[in-house]
Amino acid sequence: MALARRFTTVFPLVGAVATAVALTGAAFFTVAHADCADTGRYVVRDGVVELVGGCVDGADLPAVPKLDTVPYAVQP
């Protein structure tokens, strides 16, 4: 009975860790095989426009605007 209780306690943890490892592996595989030479295209599916293919380079993203800090008078 104690062995069954331990198994039912550990099984969800092992399942969660295995799922996390599988998803992490899939993400690394996808990124490793990404081809940025493809510019991508827009496809209409069921009335929804989707971007298929391509990838975004960090240089393509807009820069974060730098704001000057404005000194505020702090009153107690």
Side-chain angles (χ1 to χ4, degrees):
M1 188 67 171
L3 182 61
R5 185 173 295 152
R6 285 184 188 170
F7 180 75
T8 58
T9 304
V10 174
F11 183 70
L13 176 63
V14 171
V17 170
T19 302
V21 169
L23 290 174
T24 302
F28 277 109
F29 179 79
T30 301
V31 170
H33 289 85
D35 183 21
C36 289
D38 180 21
T39 58
R41 63 190 184 285
Y42 290 101
V43 177
V44 178
R45 295 182 186 169
D46 299 327
V48 178
V49 178
E50 296 178 359
L51 177 62
V52 177
C55 61
V56 177
D57 186 13
D60 296 337
L61 299 175
V64 177
K66 294 184 179 182
L67 301 175
D68 293 333
T69 56
V70 180
Y72 290 102
V74 179
Q75 298 176 357

